[in-house]
Amino acid sequence: LLLAGISAKSASAFSFRATPAGAVNLSSSVERDVYTMADWAASYGVQQAEGVQLTSYDGKDYFPMAQSDIPAGSPVMYVPSDLTFTSSKSVQEFGQSMSQCENQLTQAGLGDKIPLFRVFFKVVAEYEKGEESAWYPWLNSLPRSYNTGASMTYACFDCLPPYAAYLALSERQNFVNFQKAIRNSDYISQDVLKNVTVLKWAYNVALTRSIEMYGERLIAPLADMFNHGTETEVEISYDENGDCYAYSSVDIPAGSPLRVSYGDPTDPTPLFAKYGFLDESSPGTFCKLMNMKSEMETLGYTYANLLFYRETGGISPEVYDVVLYHLLLKSDEGAANGFYQAVVGGDENTKGEYQQQYWPYVKEELQKHVDGTLRDLDRWSAKANSYDLNTHPRVPLILQHNQFVKETFMTVKNNLDMM
């Protein structure tokens, strides 16, 4: 039975070696050695349910798939704690070697990123060991190239809508701060600390393959290969010993991918910026009213509340609230305050009266915004199409993202025009 009779090897005792000693080759032309990693993981005590196999459609993205039916509540995968990376283990292992780095992050206003930094530090340290690292087979199985915001250039940001560009640029700035911070450590060699390619790869590994739980960042090799899904089949948990468990959350028919949630599935843009993929099953996208950020926050909303819906052309009620509040602030401070009180007080009747009274102005403002964004999307995508794919390999993903937004805005435009 899965999870029965586990005898996990310790990292210090493990001596698996696949190739002559050397660092992981990070060239984008190098293929991932995933199946050697799977054998290594099994030798290390990782267990998978019968019928769960790593699968790939393109030789680049690998993920677990059910080859036979799996009932809900069944164990799918087990990863012993000896194999996992966690931020708390990094503190125990590196201690003072990270303290100055973490102080710099705190001074930069990134204290909340310290758990992620600790996992990033661990990845860099293990990379430097080459095949002397107990985790070499796992490191050698990872993607070499990423489409995350951290990997994008300013030319990429120029081709994205402002919200996507803002999120992607934030990831790039986080990486730059990690890069500066780790250079305060004397644990890592100068050759590695000066190698931006290595540091960016390690940042992307830590960011995209870790999960946040109990204030920690954790990576469980092999369990980090579950892809994201709007509809999920698997849930991951850790016990008090740090062992990782994956269980089926629904009945899973044979031939199904095994997926977990990476975040809010209602808007694909945050996942696009953080993980470097577009979830086209998302029902909508942020309405792109970046110029009304202050009004949004004053009313107690977030970007996740302000949605346009792709299939129906629907508009979330919060969008109407923000647009009306924006208009009232410019024209009638008293009315703006009255509307604000109705929104934050949950007075739907009064709020509805305001919306009905000012509807023509709200509709006009939204139509101007939608039409202007559609023109901008054509301009941004035309710019992206002018780039050389050899030097800008993320252009196809950017175009895919912009097309998703355009299709959503077109359905919203059709609805607005008929109102």
Side-chain angles (χ1 to χ4, degrees):
L1 290 176
L2 185 65
L3 312 184
I6 299 298
S7 177
K9 303 176 182 179
S10 69
S12 59
F14 196 74
S15 59
F16 188 98
R17 296 290 179 264
T19 58
V24 174
N25 186 339
L26 297 183
S27 170
S28 60
S29 63
V30 174
E31 292 187 5
R32 302 171 61 184
D33 190 357
V34 170
Y35 296 109
T36 296
M37 182 276 296
D39 292 341
W40 162 83
S43 298
Y44 219 122
V46 173
Q47 292 196 11
Q48 299 180 83
E50 184 177 352
V52 174
Q53 293 184 4
L54 290 177
T55 305
S56 178
Y57 297 137
D58 59 7
K60 296 178 181 179
D61 177 38
Y62 291 81
F63 54 91
M65 176 176 276
Q67 302 297 329
S68 56
D69 294 348
I70 301 176
S74 301
V76 172
M77 189 178 295
Y78 164 83
V79 183
S81 62
D82 281 352
L83 198 58
T84 62
F85 284 16
T86 73
S87 46
S88 59
K89 285 184 187 177
S90 292
V91 173
Q92 295 170 8
E93 182 175 359
F94 305 112
Q96 286 298 115
S97 299
M98 295 191 300
S99 60
Q100 192 172 346
C101 309
E102 294 178 5
N103 288 340
Q104 180 165 330
L105 285 177
T106 300
Q107 292 170 8
L110 295 174
D112 61 322
K113 302 295 182 185
I114 286 176
L116 177 62
F117 177 83
R118 291 170 177 170
V119 173
F120 160 73
F121 194 102
K122 173 67 172 175
V123 174
V124 175
E126 294 303 326
Y127 167 85
E128 185 173 34
K129 294 176 184 177
E131 280 218 336
E132 296 303 311
S133 168
W135 285 272
Y136 177 85
W138 173 67
L139 295 170
N140 198 39
S141 75
L142 298 174
R144 272 46 170 186
S145 300
Y146 292 83
N147 293 324
T148 62
S151 297
M152 291 184 183
T153 65
Y154 286 96
C156 297
F157 304 145
D158 286 345
C159 300
L160 288 168
Y163 179 54
Y166 159 73
L167 292 176
L169 180 58
S170 295
E171 288 298 342
R172 181 182 173 90
Q173 290 171 335
N174 286 341
F175 162 66
V176 170
N177 279 294
F178 275 37
Q179 178 182 258
K180 292 177 179 176
I182 199 172
R183 288 174 177 167
N184 288 298
S185 174
D186 57 6
Y187 187 91
I188 309 294
S189 71
Q190 287 299 310
D191 284 345
V192 171
L193 292 177
K194 292 177 181 177
N195 192 324
V196 177
T197 298
V198 170
L199 297 182
K200 187 175 292 184
W201 174 78
Y203 177 83
N204 280 318
V205 169
L207 180 69
T208 63
R209 309 196 83 80
S210 69
I211 64 172
E212 193 169 3
M213 192 174 290
Y214 315 124
E216 282 234 56
R217 279 281 184 165
L218 313 100
I219 302 179
L222 200 62
D224 63 333
M225 299 190 75
F226 292 111
N227 277 344
H228 167 80
T230 299
E231 302 292 332
T232 62
E233 293 78 27
V234 172
E235 292 182 357
I236 293 177
S237 63
Y238 285 77
D239 67 14
E240 64 276 7
N241 297 319
D243 297 324
C244 175
Y245 299 84
Y247 282 87
S248 57
S249 55
V250 295
D251 290 332
I252 305 171
S256 301
L258 304 179
R259 300 168 299 181
V260 298
S261 174
Y262 288 5
D264 185 356
T266 57
D267 179 2
T269 301
L271 297 175
F272 164 84
K274 182 176 181 179
Y275 293 98
F277 67 86
L278 183 71
D279 181 7
E280 294 196 89
S281 66
S282 295
T285 186
F286 170 60
C287 66
K288 316 306 177 193
L289 287 168
M290 293 294 287
N291 62 313
M292 300 183 192
K293 181 173 181 285
S294 175
E295 291 89 336
M296 174 189 77
E297 292 174 345
T298 299
L299 293 178
Y301 297 147
T302 68
Y303 294 118
N305 298 126
L306 274 60
L307 297 177
F308 285 170
Y309 292 97
R310 186 184 188 193
E311 294 296 329
T312 65
I315 299 172
S316 66
E318 294 87 348
V319 173
Y320 294 120
D321 292 347
V322 169
V323 172
L324 177 52
Y325 188 53
H326 170 78
L327 293 172
L328 291 176
L329 284 173
K330 294 194 298 183
S331 62
D332 189 333
E333 187 174 335
N337 184 59
F339 181 68
Y340 166 80
Q341 295 296 335
V343 172
V344 299
D347 185 349
E348 293 296 326
N349 289 334
T350 301
K351 192 175 78 167
E353 290 172 1
Y354 275 101
Q355 289 285 8
Q356 185 174 6
Q357 179 180 352
Y358 293 99
W359 166 244
Y361 305 102
V362 171
K363 176 183 176 181
E364 181 183 8
E365 186 71 17
L366 279 169
Q367 286 177 311
K368 286 194 300 183
H369 168 67
V370 168
D371 291 342
T373 301
L374 286 168
R375 289 192 297 270
D376 288 339
L377 283 163
D378 287 340
R379 177 169 54 84
W380 293 323
S381 293
K383 186 169 188 176
N385 274 315
S386 71
Y387 293 161
D388 183 347
L389 289 180
N390 293 316
T391 53
H392 296 86
R394 294 164 190 88
V395 162
L397 179 64
I398 290 170
L399 291 173
Q400 184 186 6
H401 174 272
N402 289 359
Q403 183 61 28
F404 180 96
V405 175
K406 182 176 180 178
E407 290 173 3
T408 304
F409 270 62
M410 284 300 301
T411 56
V412 170
K413 173 181 170 58
N414 292 337
N415 274 4
L416 279 173
D417 289 349
M418 290 187 295
M419 287 181 179

